[in-house]
Amino acid sequence: VGHTEGCGMQFMFSVARPEWACRCCSPDGGEDGGPASAVWDVYNARTERPKVFVDVPTAPPVPHASKGLPVAEGDRPDWLIKEDELVVDERDPPGSGGILIIQAVLSDARADWGKSSGMRPHWLRAILTTNRAHARRHGHAMILRAQPSQPQLTRWQWRNCGMKHMEKCLKDNERENFNWEKHLMIKEYVLSPQNFTHILMLDADAAFVNREHDTLRQIASILEAKGKDIFLTDEDWLEHGEGRINGGLMFAKSTDFTKGLFQDTFDAHLAGSAMLKNWRIGVDEMECSSNEQICLNDLWQGKGKLWFEPHAMMASGLIYNRGAERGGEKHIDSPSVEVMHWMGGSKANAGVALCNGPRDFTGDGPNGYGCRLK
């Protein structure tokens, strides 16, 4: 607590409900505010508060991060953020507005997404090529992020690692931080002077599989008809998954609400257990110190529901984010399925399904970037 910049020197803890963990009080007298509770007790931290807070270390950049990815030829557009790369831009008119597809391809410690020094995995190339074909056909822009933002670690993660062994700390927090990069990217591009009308964040192991449908304009029309700002999908394709958001597809209309929302969620991630106070969207305080999917579900059905639900909708994952595992892949050619998602161990099957299934979803043929084996 004493080493958390957003905390005072007091914290709450419930002996009766230890699974609730600690909650620090704000440094502006927060220990004296709020209603009385028979369950929570307030404690004083005995540690000495540092005069200067330790900076989080920055990891070295991934060399040639975009190598092996389907980056567009020609000059790199100046509207791209950080080291992001353009795959295709078929907006009409070009240069402003339209729909942006974002996919993060961040090389993890296990090299699931391939190594930037060599050819990317067949499944990844097939998925990215399929999505490129969809963007071309329906007039969208598509970009990739292969270089993670720095610092990857938050201050509270670095403290939890004892402020040592950076490489191990990065690896221990890699999965969650790479998922939080998705919220950061939406935040950055929804504020872009390109004035995109809508932004889709799609996991890089998910692909559009209904070639004839302009899936994203279809979703935009649904949002408009329902008066909503953000489109999310249900895990109803999983047994006991119904009612739970899957964070692999987030479609945001560019509005004041979504601009505030993704600044809030990422700031809440940075704050950790100190909890972000006074969210731009109206939440008084809420913690997002675990993964981003839990944060979204807490907004949807938990503490943030009052402010989030009026602006959000959750559609069936059976249509818009169909998991490929447990027999889901057999629905790849169903006219009702718009997006197929090869999560976890099902990834390896995506290349065969998209290149050698009922049709070539990539549009590039057997010797194209997406389907060739060597």
Side-chain angles (χ1 to χ4, degrees), residues 235-351:
E235 289 191 331
D236 53 356
W237 50 270
L238 271 177
E239 186 179 3
H240 310 305
E242 186 172 0
R244 187 172 62 223
I245 295 169
N246 180 281
L249 185 152
M250 296 178 280
F251 186 79
K253 182 180 179 181
S254 181
T255 64
D256 288 342
F257 176 79
T258 55
K259 289 174 182 177
L261 171 67
F262 288 100
Q263 291 181 79
D264 284 337
T265 54
F266 194 76
D267 286 351
H269 163 61
L270 296 178
S273 62
M275 291 196 288
L276 181 66
K277 314 294 193 296
N278 302 317
W279 289 41
R280 296 167 184 82
I281 64 169
V283 179
D284 52 354
E285 64 175 16
M286 199 179 96
E287 182 177 345
C288 288
S289 59
S290 186
N291 67 58
E292 37 58 73
Q293 191 163 298
I294 291 175
C295 183
L296 285 174
N297 278 290
D298 284 347
L299 285 167
W300 177 247
Q301 10 184 28
K303 195 168 185 180
K305 183 175 181 177
L306 176 66
W307 298 274
F308 186 75
E309 188 180 45
H311 297 272
M313 64 167 292
M314 184 164 64
S316 174
L318 292 167
I319 300 172
Y320 292 103
N321 192 10
R322 179 69 189 245
E325 69 266 40
R326 304 182 190 183
E329 190 180 287
K330 68 183 180 182
H331 300 282
I332 191 170
D333 212 33
S334 168
S336 67
V337 177
E338 300 289 341
V339 175
M340 183 69 66
H341 196 166
W342 284 269
M343 289 170 266
S346 68
K347 285 182 179 59
N349 301 326

Side-chain angles (χ1 to χ4, degrees), residues 62-68 107 114-118 120:
V62 177
H64 312 296
S66 297
K67 187 176 180 181
S107 297
K115 297 179 179 179
S116 57
S117 59
R120 300 289 177 150

Side-chain angles (χ1 to χ4, degrees), residues 48-257:
E48 185 177 348
R49 192 167 179 82
K51 294 185 173 73
V52 178
F53 289 91
V54 177
D55 287 334
V56 178
T58 300
V62 177
H64 312 296
S66 297
K67 187 176 180 181
L69 297 176
V71 175
E73 296 180 357
D75 295 337
R76 181 177 177 273
D78 59 8
W79 55 263
L80 289 170
I81 295 170
K82 297 175 179 172
E83 296 181 45
D84 297 345
E85 294 286 1
L86 179 70
V87 175
V88 67
D89 189 350
E90 294 292 335
R91 292 176 292 163
D92 185 20
S96 183
I99 297 175
L100 176 67
I101 301 166
I102 298 172
Q103 295 196 278
V105 185
L106 304 175
S107 297
D108 58 6
R110 299 183 304 175
D112 287 342
W113 307 85
K115 297 179 179 179
S116 57
S117 59
M119 182 178 279
R120 300 289 177 150
H122 182 212
W123 67 263
L124 177 61
R125 289 184 284 112
I127 286 174
L128 296 180
T129 312
T130 298
N131 292 340
R132 179 179 65 183
H134 192 87
R136 279 177 176 161
R137 185 179 185 88
H138 298 292
H140 307 314
M142 176 180 168
I143 65 168
L144 301 175
R145 177 167 292 180
Q147 188 74 258
S149 299
Q150 297 294 340
Q152 291 180 45
L153 295 170
T154 66
R155 285 183 172 177
W156 60 267
Q157 288 170 341
W158 183 230
R159 285 194 308 273
N160 289 348
C161 291
M163 295 186 287
K164 55 186 178 181
H165 307 305
M166 182 187 71
E167 289 187 3
K168 182 179 185 304
C169 194
L170 285 168
K171 185 176 179 180
D172 289 346
N173 291 282
E174 181 182 76
R175 179 178 174 83
E176 289 187 2
N177 287 345
F178 280 5
N179 278 320
W180 276 109
E181 187 86 28
K182 298 185 294 187
H183 283 238
L184 178 59
M185 289 184 75
I186 300 177
K187 164 192 164 180
E188 290 169 341
Y189 282 101
V190 80
L191 297 172
S192 166
Q194 284 285 294
N195 296 315
F196 297 105
T197 60
H198 301 80
I199 292 174
L200 172 75
M201 169 53 72
L202 185 65
D203 277 2
D205 51 6
F208 299 101
V209 293
N210 203 320
R211 183 178 178 183
E212 304 305 320
H213 288 182
D214 187 349
T215 303
L216 298 184
R217 287 195 176 89
Q218 177 180 310
I219 295 174
S221 296
I222 294 172
L223 283 178
E224 197 67 30
K226 293 183 176 291
K228 302 292 186 178
D229 298 308
I230 183 167
F231 181 98
L232 302 164
T233 56
D234 201 326
E235 289 191 331
D236 53 356
W237 50 270
L238 271 177
E239 186 179 3
H240 310 305
E242 186 172 0
R244 187 172 62 223
I245 295 169
N246 180 281
L249 185 152
M250 296 178 280
F251 186 79
K253 182 180 179 181
S254 181
T255 64
D256 288 342
F257 176 79

